[in-house]
């Protein structure tokens, strides 16, 4: 699977001027990138209950994304590296979502708050059949600790000792009612703001997913809400209590055509997300909105044209994004193909 992206953006940023003082400026930019080049192999054993999957990302420095064994059908165990059970929006493949990218709230939650993502771990679960299709997954995953922070980015590494305190524990349950999949999840996650140190933080969420086919198209939607303990405190906030964040996202699209693989289709969509980094602080929200259209040949090739806007308020915590201003407006053109 390949994704290439062209982005025209207008951003606000703070730079160090010639006199050494900080100064604000606007910047217009054109960025071209190979977002992703994935190669995957799925193996189905002659033993019907046993399967394996390997997925590599080879854009840039090659790295393993998924590598796991799964045994069982109704009751199953999964071992290796794979996604932590969390919000359905995070569990979906980027190929399934019509968006050109998951957005800033996703980045803040996964890259800065250490929620969801892929980790080495083990999970046990139940996948039921019948009307409501109940599913339950319980897992333990190796935690990470801060490696380094650079402007706008944060790198982590796996905690390199075997203590039970170094694990993130996660659970997700879901049922399907009248074509709507309803889910709830919880993470007792490991988070870190200091290299070689870490703590545990509670996080939970609820979500709903709709995928309803009609005679000439399909309605799709993902809606979720999350809350939990945060690693980042707004500057000058009194007290030492751990802050709590809250967030919500909604993505809705309607696909015209594309009912079978390879059929032409057009799919307009809208996306909105909001995050309150600290529920006790005012004027610290960050919001994002995107509208666009994806078109191509269903499940084989697509072009996505997307406009997005991100806005943050004055008390947005500087710990996120290493104090970089997230505000921007962008026009994205993404090309994708799956072989």
């Amino acid at each position: 699977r390949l994704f290439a992206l062209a982005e025209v953006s207008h951003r606000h940023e703070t730079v160090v001027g010639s006199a050494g003082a900080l100064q604000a400026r606007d910047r217009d930019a054109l960025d071209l990138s190979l977002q992703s080049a994935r190669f995957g192999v799925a193996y189905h054993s002659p033993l019907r209950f046993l399967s394996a999957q390997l997925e590599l990302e080879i854009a840039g420095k090659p790295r393993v994304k998924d590598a796991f064994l799964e045994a069982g059908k109704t009751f199953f165990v999964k071992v290796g590296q794979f996604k932590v059970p969390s919000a359905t929006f995070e569990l979906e493949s980027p190929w399934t979502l019509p968006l050109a990218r998951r957005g800033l709230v996703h980045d803040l939650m996964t890259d800065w708050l250490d929620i969801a993502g892929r980790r080495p771990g083990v999970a046990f679960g139940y996948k039921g059949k019948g009307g409501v299709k109940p599913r339950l997954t319980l897992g333990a995953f190796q935690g990470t600790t801060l490696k380094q922070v650079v402007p706008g980015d944060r790198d982590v590494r796996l905690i390199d000792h075997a203590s039970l305190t170094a694990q993130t524990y996660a659970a997700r349950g879901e049922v399907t009612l009248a074509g709507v999949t309803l889910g709830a999840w919880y993470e007792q996650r490991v988070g870190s703001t200091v290299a070689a140190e870490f703590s545990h933080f509670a996080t939970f969420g609820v979500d709903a997913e709709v995928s309803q086919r009609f005679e000439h198209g399909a309605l799709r939607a993902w809606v979720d809400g999350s809350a939990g303990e945060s690693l980042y405190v707004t500057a000058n906030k009194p007290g030492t209590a751990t802050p709590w964040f809250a967030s919500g996202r909604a993505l809705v699209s309607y696909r015209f055509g594309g009912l079978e693989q390879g059929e032409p289709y057009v799919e307009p969509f809208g996306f909105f997300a909001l995050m309150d980094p600290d529920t006790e602080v005012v004027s610290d929200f960050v919001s994002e909105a995107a509208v666009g259209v994806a078109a191509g040949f269903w499940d084989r090739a697509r072009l996505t044209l997307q406009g997005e806007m991100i806005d943050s308020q004055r008390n947005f915590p500087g710990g996120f994004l290493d104090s970089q201003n997230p505000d921007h407006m962008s026009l994205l053109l993404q090309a994708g193909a799956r072989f």
Side-chain angles (χ1 to χ4, degrees):
R1 186 190 70 211
L2 300 173
F3 279 124
L5 181 70
E7 176 181 2
V8 178
S9 63
H10 177 78
R11 298 177 181 272
H12 305 288
E13 61 183 12
T14 302
V15 298
V16 179
S18 57
L22 295 177
Q23 54 185 238
R25 72 174 186 186
D26 292 339
R27 179 172 67 91
D28 297 314
L30 169 63
D31 296 305
L32 306 175
S33 64
L34 178 61
Q35 273 183 299
S36 177
R38 296 276 179 93
F39 175 77
V41 176
Y43 171 71
H44 298 278
S45 166
L47 303 174
R48 295 184 60 188
F49 65 89
L50 183 63
S51 63
Q53 185 169 313
L54 173 65
E55 188 172 296
L56 305 175
E57 176 62 65
I58 56 176
K61 182 179 179 181
R63 58 193 184 279
V64 174
K65 300 299 286 186
D66 285 321
F68 61 84
L69 292 169
E70 185 170 350
K73 293 295 183 180
T74 301
F75 293 93
F76 67 90
V77 58
K78 195 173 182 179
V79 181
Q81 175 161 301
F82 50 95
K83 286 185 176 182
V84 175
S86 58
T88 184
F89 185 82
E90 302 296 341
L91 297 175
E92 287 284 13
S93 163
W95 184 255
T96 302
L97 300 173
L99 287 167
R101 57 189 176 198
R102 295 183 200 264
L104 177 66
V105 170
H106 159 81
D107 293 341
L108 297 177
M109 292 176 66
T110 59
D111 296 342
W112 294 84
L113 291 176
D114 298 312
I115 300 168
R118 288 176 168 88
R119 307 284 179 87
V122 58
F124 302 88
Y126 168 78
K127 292 184 282 189
K129 299 179 181 179
V132 298
K133 298 179 181 177
R135 177 164 182 161
L136 176 65
T137 304
L138 306 172
F141 300 83
Q142 189 70 12
T144 55
T145 184
L146 181 68
K147 182 178 180 181
Q148 64 178 353
V149 175
V150 296
D153 195 14
R154 174 177 178 270
D155 291 329
V156 296
R157 62 177 178 82
L158 291 173
I159 299 169
D160 57 3
H161 60 79
S163 168
L164 291 177
T165 62
Q167 314 302 314
T168 285
Y169 298 97
R172 175 178 171 83
E174 62 183 44
V175 295
T176 300
L177 300 172
V180 180
T181 300
L182 303 173
W185 58 275
Y186 178 83
E187 267 192 62
Q188 187 66 23
R189 75 188 197 276
V190 171
S192 171
T193 55
V194 178
E197 296 183 9
F198 60 91
S199 301
H200 283 86
F201 300 88
T203 318
F204 58 90
V206 294
D207 53 61
E209 178 187 353
V210 177
S211 183
Q212 184 66 50
R213 290 167 64 99
F214 299 99
E215 184 178 358
H216 300 294
L219 172 68
R220 302 198 294 160
W222 295 262
V223 179
D224 68 36
S226 306
E229 295 175 296
S230 175
L231 287 66
Y232 302 103
V233 181
T234 302
N236 302 319
K237 179 187 174 183
T240 58
T242 301
W244 279 73
F245 79 90
S247 68
R249 295 178 290 197
L251 169 60
V252 180
S253 69
Y254 188 87
R255 185 170 77 248
F256 297 91
L259 294 178
E260 301 295 337
Q261 189 178 71
E263 284 189 356
Y265 79 98
V266 176
E267 186 174 21
F269 61 85
F271 174 70
F272 180 76
L274 181 70
M275 183 176 186
D276 181 356
D278 188 334
T279 56
E280 294 182 341
V281 174
V282 299
S283 300
D284 64 338
F285 282 42
V286 61
S287 61
E288 60 182 321
V291 294
V293 59
F297 300 94
W298 179 245
D299 203 30
R300 280 293 172 255
R302 80 184 195 202
L303 283 175
T304 301
L305 181 64
Q306 174 177 319
E308 67 178 28
M309 181 175 67
I310 292 176
D311 180 66
S312 62
Q313 297 180 320
R314 68 178 187 275
N315 289 328
F316 183 69
F320 284 114
L321 306 176
D322 192 33
S323 298
Q324 299 297 299
N325 188 342
D327 296 6
H328 73 265
M329 294 184 292
S330 292
L331 182 65
L332 310 172
L333 179 63
Q334 182 194 63
R338 184 181 185 185
F339 308 96

